[in-house]
Amino acid sequence: MAQPLLEVKDLKKYFPIKGGILSKTIGHVQAVDGISFQLFPGETVGLVGESGCGKSTAARTILRLIEPTSGEVRFEGQDILKLGKKPMRALRRQMQIIFQDPYASLNPRMTVASIVGEPLEIHKIAKGREKEEIVANILEKVGLRPEHMRRYPHEFSGGQRQRIGIARALALNPKLIIGDEPVSALDVSIQAQVINLLEDLQKEFNLTYLIIAHDLSVVEHISDRVAVMYLGKIVELATDRELYQNPSHPYTEALLSAVPRPDPTIKKQRIILPGDVPSPINPPSGCRFHTRCLYAKSDCKTVEPQLQDIGGGHYVACHYWKDVQAKRLGTSS
């Protein structure tokens, strides 16, 4: 079996809350609270969940754009959280990110040639005419023309700007690219184009993707496996086909019920979850989802469910996942 390219173990990121005259730490925002998963070469894993669940924080923590509170992040077997500044900088050539907002993530004072070519200069790979040739080639790969190099970000549409962001991520020929909601700020028709582009680039350059999204329909066609996050924890992890056909966590079931389908003959029952998402400052005891769960019982309030394999690499953190499946199949558990 192939070794994982990326291995995350019990990763946590808590943000301190300061208060009082002396600005003492009076609490923590538990943005990411003990997530674990593996990512294999050439694979695409989708990390989904509603806004505020911690998925973007997880992405930035994995890349050490923000430092984690605890846990392990291994890239090709090496724990990157123990690396010093210099070796970490060298390793960044292998790990890149595509940001969510194509308007805010590009410097308006820099030309496209400078934006895409900057990583090449920082890592002393190319400069001058050689750099421009590399940039021109990368722009063609993402569907832009070489003459676009002389233009500034404000001269492009949102979809074109995101292509520039993708080109910047490709510049160093990385092995891993994390897409932090790379299409959520784009029109639906443009989303499909960018997703198709990412798939084509993956095949051509043998890329490995971690795609962050809040929309399950976005990751349905691009992901090999999908992990569902709720309030800082992964509650379900399975192959895309298994997750969409056999959701076994109540939260995943509710998310999938909200995904629109183009076929008007298919009648779906929308699951409306009661209440609001609890605060990550003071999450509920036991199962964090029990305050909104339609299947919750008394032990859900006190005993935290662990992520367990229920067969075929399908992992679920729920005491009563069999009840979820039984309801969908119309049988008793």
Side-chain angles (χ1 to χ4, degrees), residues 272-278 291-292:
I272 307 297
L273 296 175
D276 297 319
V277 180
T291 58
R292 307 174 72 196

PDB file of all heavy atoms in Angstrom, residues 272-278 291-292:
ATOM      1  N   ILE A 272     -34.240  20.018   8.602  1.00  0.00           N
ATOM      2  CA  ILE A 272     -33.963  21.301   9.246  1.00  0.00           C
ATOM      3  C   ILE A 272     -33.444  21.039  10.658  1.00  0.00           C
ATOM      4  O   ILE A 272     -34.164  20.516  11.505  1.00  0.00           O
ATOM      5  CB  ILE A 272     -35.218  22.198   9.303  1.00  0.00           C
ATOM      6  CG1 ILE A 272     -35.839  22.351   7.910  1.00  0.00           C
ATOM      7  CG2 ILE A 272     -34.869  23.547   9.901  1.00  0.00           C
ATOM      8  CD1 ILE A 272     -34.942  23.049   6.909  1.00  0.00           C
ATOM      9  N   LEU A 273     -32.190  21.374  10.883  1.00  0.00           N
ATOM     10  CA  LEU A 273     -31.611  21.146  12.202  1.00  0.00           C
ATOM     11  C   LEU A 273     -32.097  22.201  13.191  1.00  0.00           C
ATOM     12  O   LEU A 273     -32.120  23.389  12.877  1.00  0.00           O
ATOM     13  CB  LEU A 273     -30.085  21.197  12.126  1.00  0.00           C
ATOM     14  CG  LEU A 273     -29.417  20.115  11.279  1.00  0.00           C
ATOM     15  CD1 LEU A 273     -27.920  20.366  11.194  1.00  0.00           C
ATOM     16  CD2 LEU A 273     -29.681  18.729  11.865  1.00  0.00           C
ATOM     17  N   PRO A 274     -32.473  21.814  14.390  1.00  0.00           N
ATOM     18  CA  PRO A 274     -32.914  22.791  15.388  1.00  0.00           C
ATOM     19  C   PRO A 274     -31.736  23.564  15.970  1.00  0.00           C
ATOM     20  O   PRO A 274     -30.606  23.072  16.001  1.00  0.00           O
ATOM     21  CB  PRO A 274     -33.575  21.914  16.464  1.00  0.00           C
ATOM     22  CG  PRO A 274     -32.882  20.591  16.349  1.00  0.00           C
ATOM     23  CD  PRO A 274     -32.573  20.419  14.895  1.00  0.00           C
ATOM     24  N   GLY A 275     -32.010  24.773  16.439  1.00  0.00           N
ATOM     25  CA  GLY A 275     -30.991  25.552  17.141  1.00  0.00           C
ATOM     26  C   GLY A 275     -29.894  26.069  16.242  1.00  0.00           C
ATOM     27  O   GLY A 275     -29.957  25.984  15.009  1.00  0.00           O
ATOM     28  N   ASP A 276     -28.872  26.619  16.876  1.00  0.00           N
ATOM     29  CA  ASP A 276     -27.721  27.172  16.171  1.00  0.00           C
ATOM     30  C   ASP A 276     -26.467  26.379  16.509  1.00  0.00           C
ATOM     31  O   ASP A 276     -26.434  25.611  17.476  1.00  0.00           O
ATOM     32  CB  ASP A 276     -27.518  28.646  16.574  1.00  0.00           C
ATOM     33  CG  ASP A 276     -28.701  29.525  16.182  1.00  0.00           C
ATOM     34  OD1 ASP A 276     -29.219  29.334  15.070  1.00  0.00           O
ATOM     35  OD2 ASP A 276     -29.100  30.379  17.004  1.00  0.00           O
ATOM     36  N   VAL A 277     -25.419  26.612  15.725  1.00  0.00           N
ATOM     37  CA  VAL A 277     -24.134  25.969  16.001  1.00  0.00           C
ATOM     38  C   VAL A 277     -23.605  26.494  17.333  1.00  0.00           C
ATOM     39  O   VAL A 277     -23.515  27.712  17.528  1.00  0.00           O
ATOM     40  CB  VAL A 277     -23.117  26.269  14.882  1.00  0.00           C
ATOM     41  CG1 VAL A 277     -21.786  25.581  15.186  1.00  0.00           C
ATOM     42  CG2 VAL A 277     -23.646  25.807  13.540  1.00  0.00           C
ATOM     43  N   PRO A 278     -23.253  25.619  18.275  1.00  0.00           N
ATOM     44  CA  PRO A 278     -22.721  26.081  19.569  1.00  0.00           C
ATOM     45  C   PRO A 278     -21.419  26.846  19.390  1.00  0.00           C
ATOM     46  O   PRO A 278     -20.743  26.756  18.365  1.00  0.00           O
ATOM     47  CB  PRO A 278     -22.496  24.777  20.336  1.00  0.00           C
ATOM     48  CG  PRO A 278     -23.358  23.764  19.658  1.00  0.00           C
ATOM     49  CD  PRO A 278     -23.394  24.158  18.218  1.00  0.00           C
ATOM     50  N   THR A 291     -26.757  18.721  20.635  1.00  0.00           N
ATOM     51  CA  THR A 291     -27.737  19.790  20.875  1.00  0.00           C
ATOM     52  C   THR A 291     -28.637  20.037  19.659  1.00  0.00           C
ATOM     53  O   THR A 291     -29.679  20.679  19.786  1.00  0.00           O
ATOM     54  CB  THR A 291     -27.023  21.102  21.237  1.00  0.00           C
ATOM     55  OG1 THR A 291     -26.123  21.469  20.172  1.00  0.00           O
ATOM     56  CG2 THR A 291     -26.238  20.951  22.533  1.00  0.00           C
ATOM     57  N   ARG A 292     -28.246  19.528  18.505  1.00  0.00           N
ATOM     58  CA  ARG A 292     -29.035  19.734  17.285  1.00  0.00           C
ATOM     59  C   ARG A 292     -29.446  18.417  16.634  1.00  0.00           C
ATOM     60  O   ARG A 292     -30.084  18.424  15.574  1.00  0.00           O
ATOM     61  CB  ARG A 292     -28.225  20.563  16.286  1.00  0.00           C
ATOM     62  CG  ARG A 292     -27.697  21.865  16.855  1.00  0.00           C
ATOM     63  CD  ARG A 292     -26.794  22.563  15.868  1.00  0.00           C
ATOM     64  NE  ARG A 292     -27.531  23.120  14.759  1.00  0.00           N
ATOM     65  CZ  ARG A 292     -26.982  23.512  13.612  1.00  0.00           C
ATOM     66  NH1 ARG A 292     -25.685  23.375  13.431  1.00  0.00           N
ATOM     67  NH2 ARG A 292     -27.720  24.011  12.658  1.00  0.00           N
TER      68      ARG A 292
END
